[in-house]
């Protein structure tokens, strides 16, 4: 083999070894017992929110259309990581095939970036609802809602394709051990023997563009919302606006704060052992908290839960609720 062929040969391992969160067996068992209920709450809460919005006619509004899709995204992207992470905590050595690693990165990166875009669309939806509630259903037409949802999905798909393609064109001859519990971009770049400066530039540029553009859209929307709330004469209207917007702002702050900490940094500042806990937070904890955030302070969701419960326990009361909803 010529020197040139040696230089340009790609090293593609059959599988990667995931080092996980810790190598201590007692801590791994403890973490399994902690993370399993969190993942189950995440899955049940988000799937339950989607089903509740689908079955309750009073929640068939643009706001809850976006919330149902947010819950679906949370359930899917946490499920791309959560089940394997839980299973790996009980194994002496966790491995993942090369192709499965690429698929996991593609699904997670695409859904996470799509969620950022969707949160920006939800901020615009809140602005339209508060600015002119009488024309809300007309302004946020089904066509516009589907367009915003499609744009969010497209943004996530483009980001996922770019990151996955450029990461898995690298050679991994330095090691097969990924210092993480899933196939994330920074730990994979750390074990590549190629120049990763282009990958780091793409990571910073694409994540930076998506997060800057969506944060700007959210800030502008909430600036307009603040102006509309100040002009309100009704105290009840102000409380209602604060309730719906407060839930959204809490979700935005948690997700964006963690993502900015994780990805918008130079590679020299990566501390993979420390970053694992931040990864756990945005892959498992935030998706589990979102249904609670959006339901605990939302009277419409509480009312829908009550009506659904009465339908299950008391068919007569459920029929009355359906009749009232149809009026």
């Amino acid at each position: 083999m010529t020197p040139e062929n040696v230089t340009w040969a790609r090293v593609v391992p059959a599988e990667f070894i995931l080092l996980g969160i810790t190598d201590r067996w007692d801590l791994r068992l403890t973490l399994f017992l902690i993370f399993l209920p969190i993942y189950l709450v995440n899955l049940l809460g988000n799937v339950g929110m989607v089903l509740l919005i689908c079955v309750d006619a009073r929640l068939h509004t643009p706001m809850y259309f976006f919330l149902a899709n947010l819950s679906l995204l949370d359930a899917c992207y946490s499920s791309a990581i959560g089940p394997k992470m839980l299973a790996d905590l009980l194994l002496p050595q966790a491995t993942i095939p090369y192709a499965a690693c690429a698929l996991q990165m593609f699904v997670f990166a695409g859904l996470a970036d799509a969620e950022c875009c969707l949160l920006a669309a939800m901020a615009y939806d809140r602005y339209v609802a508060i600015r002119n509630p009488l024309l809300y259903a007309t302004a946020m037409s089904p066509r516009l809602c589907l367009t915003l949802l499609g744009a969010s999905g497209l943004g996530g798909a483009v980001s996922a394709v770019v990151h996955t393609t450029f990461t898995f064109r690298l050679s991994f001859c330095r090691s097969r051990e990924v210092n993480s519990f899933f196939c994330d971009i920074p730990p994979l770049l750390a074990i590549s023997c190629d120049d990763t400066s282009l990958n780091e530039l793409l990571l910073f540029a694409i994540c930076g563009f998506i997060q800057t553009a969506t944060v700007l859209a959210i800030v502008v929307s909430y600036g307009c919302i603040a102006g509309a709330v100040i002009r309100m004469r009704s105290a009840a209207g102000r409380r209602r606006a604060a309730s719906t917007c407060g839930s959204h702002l809490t979700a935005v702050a948690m997700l964006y704060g963690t993502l900015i900490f994780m990805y918008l940094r130079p590679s020299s500042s990566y501390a993979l052992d420390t970053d694992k806990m931040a990864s756990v937070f945005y892959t498992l904890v935030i998706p589990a908290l979102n249904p609670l955030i959006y339901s605990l302070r939302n009277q419409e969701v509480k009312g829908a839960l009550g009506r659904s419960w009465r339908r299950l326990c008391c068919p007569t009361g459920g029929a009355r609720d359906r009749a009232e909803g149809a009026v």
Side-chain angles (χ1 to χ4, degrees), residues 110-128:
L111 295 178
D113 285 335
E115 179 159 334
C116 291
C117 299
L118 188 60
L119 287 171
M122 292 174 72
Y124 175 72
D125 168 74
R126 290 296 80 214
Y127 163 64
V128 174

Side-chain angles (χ1 to χ4, degrees), residues 215-261:
V215 165
L216 184 61
I218 292 169
V219 169
V220 170
S221 296
Y222 274 99
C224 296
I225 288 172
V229 170
I230 291 171
R231 292 192 296 270
M232 285 182 180
R233 298 180 181 179
S234 168
R238 291 177 181 174
R239 284 195 298 270
R240 181 182 175 86
S243 176
T244 57
C245 294
S247 301
H248 181 256
L249 280 174
T250 303
V252 167
M254 289 193 305
L255 180 65
Y256 278 83
T258 311
L259 291 179
I260 289 171
F261 170 78

Side-chain angles (χ1 to χ4, degrees), residues 15-27:
E15 61 183 15
F16 292 106
I17 299 171
L18 299 175
L19 297 183
I21 300 173
T22 179
D23 57 358
R24 288 180 50 184
W25 173 249
D26 55 336
L27 283 181

